[in-house]
Structures are given as structure tokens and as C-alpha cells.
Amino acid sequence: MKPQERLTDALYGLGWSTVKKLPEPVAARLGRTIADLAWKQRGTGVRRLESNYARVVPGASPEQLAALSRAGMRSYLRYWMESFRLPVWSAERIKAGFAPKDVHHLTDALAEGRGVVLALPHLANWDLAGAWVTTELGIPFTTVAERLKPETLYDRFVAYREGLGMEVLPHTGGTAFGALARRLRGGGLVCLVADRDLSASGVEVEFFGETARMPAGPALLAQQTGAALLPVTLWYDDSPVMRGRVHPPVEVPGSGTRREKTSVMTQALADAFATGIAGHPQDWHMLQRLWLADLDPAGAPGKGAS
């Protein structure tokens, strides 16, 4: 294991072992303090976050973008403080911690025996939303996790999410896709974070007026299995309760090739994501390059990308 990987694993381990023992108000203050320190240092991630917000809030002044990125870092650290503490939250705390709208889109489809794909952007705390689904609704679901390095860090994330009641599959292309399709054909629920895909298989979409790539998986799964495809957006307000909305289903077009249908459906997801992000930009935790204009000509992150 490389020294940097060993340090990363140790820091995450410290978070899960220490932060969860802190009283909630103390953890919240710690998160804000860390966020403000990181924001003041103006590292690569903070500068990229500001650059991304400039697309979301066109015409914002440098001062406005700076204030937005500070709020964004506080939101991002709120996500981490909550995530480190989620394993010790009671069922009652999880149920009270999330108040989504229009959940009937999800429950109605499952009641009909259809599988459901929930597709989310990196907004607020998707892990809390998942824990709420398994706890409040009593509905198990399957998701995927990127193969992180070191392997011990990946194992930590898998154990963390499985502890919240999720089935976690490694993101290994066709193998994961086949397993997800089987769950959906059996009337199950699949949840996928779906606002960034830099692979060659990503679908180009218009996103805040520029071209970005998003994963084809959610649309393809819906087409192949007959599952309902539901966008979900999340946000924080000034309370301890996270808010959210389950958007109406993205329908499969009645005509066109599979590729054309996938393009139309993925654009519909992007539009729903953009609605949620525009309404609560500070809760969009996109500290990486996203738009093609920010990538090198080969379509992959250039040197120094975050």
C-alpha cells in the first residue's frame, strides 16, 4: 500500500471510529470548522467546486461564488459528519432525519410489481436517503460502489453501506449490470448516483448550457427490464432534517434505436438533476471536473484534475 493510500485509509477509519462517538452538535461544529479551514486554503477541490458553481449560477460575481463555495464545503462536510455517525443513529433518528416529497412514485411502482431505478446526483446525503428507504419504508435495495484504493478503504465503504441495509456490488461493468438487471426483473429497487461519467460509454447531455457526460446505466436498465426510472433530488435547509423529492418517471420513448432512447432518457435525468441543483447549488458536492470543456481532448481528466 502506498503511503498516501495508507494515510487516506487511516483518516477515514478515524472518522468512522471517532466522529460517531461525538455528540451530534459537537460533530456538526467540527464539520463546519473543517469546512471553513479547507475553504480558506483554496485547494484544487474548492477551486473546482467554484468553477462548477459558475455554470450553475451564471453571472455570479467572484464574491458570490466564494460565498457559495464556502456554503458548499459546509454542506459537503455535513454529509461526511452525518455519514460517519449514521451507523450509530437509531431507527427513529434515521426516520426523522429525512422528509422527502412524492414518494408515491416509488411505492406505487413497487406495489405494481415493477422494479424501480432511483437515479440521484451528488446532492446532500444520498446515504441518509438510502438508510431512510430501508428503515422507514422497509424496502431493501441494491447499489454499486466504485473500486477505491486502497482495497481496505473500499472494504470500509462496503461494510458501512451494508450496515445501513444496502446490498453493495462492485462497479465492474457488465457483471454489475447483469446483477442489477436481475434484481429489477424480480421487482426490486436499485439506487444509483448518476451525474458524472467520464468513461467512453457515457452519454453526452446538455447540462447548464454545456456538454457533460452521464452514465447510460439507469436508462439501459429501465429499457431492458421494464423498471420505472425515477430521478431523485435532495437538499438541506436550516434544520437537522434533509429534504428531497422523487420526480415523476422518465418514460422510455416509443420509437428510436436503443442508443437514441438512452440519449433521450439520460437527458431527461440531467434536466431533473439540473432543477434540483439550481434550486440548492450549495448542496451539490461536485469537487471534480464534469463538463467536457474542462477535460483534455481525449475526454479524460487532465493532469491535476480532482
Side-chain angles (χ1 to χ4, degrees), residues 222-243:
Q223 289 177 62
Q224 293 191 17
T225 68
L229 175 56
L230 304 177
V232 177
T233 53
L234 310 170
W235 65 92
Y236 291 128
D237 57 18
D238 294 330
S239 76
V241 180
M242 183 176 71
R243 311 294 171 173

Side-chain angles (χ1 to χ4, degrees), residues 241-257:
V241 180
M242 183 176 71
R243 311 294 171 173
R245 178 190 174 199
V246 181
H247 295 250
V250 173
E251 302 294 343
V252 179
S255 61
T257 65

Side-chain angles (χ1 to χ4, degrees), residues 105-167:
H105 291 304
L106 166 62
T107 54
D108 289 352
L110 291 173
E112 294 170 1
R114 293 181 71 188
V116 174
V117 179
L118 295 181
L120 307 88
H122 287 81
L123 271 170
N125 192 337
W126 46 96
D127 286 328
L128 172 55
W132 185 89
V133 167
T134 61
T135 304
E136 172 66 19
L137 301 182
I139 299 172
F141 68 87
T142 304
T143 188
V144 297
E146 181 183 356
R147 280 282 186 189
L148 301 171
K149 289 187 177 182
E151 190 75 13
T152 50
L153 180 57
Y154 169 78
D155 292 340
R156 287 186 192 277
F157 272 96
V158 170
Y160 157 62
R161 291 189 167 118
E162 287 180 341
L164 298 177
M166 312 175 194
E167 179 190 23

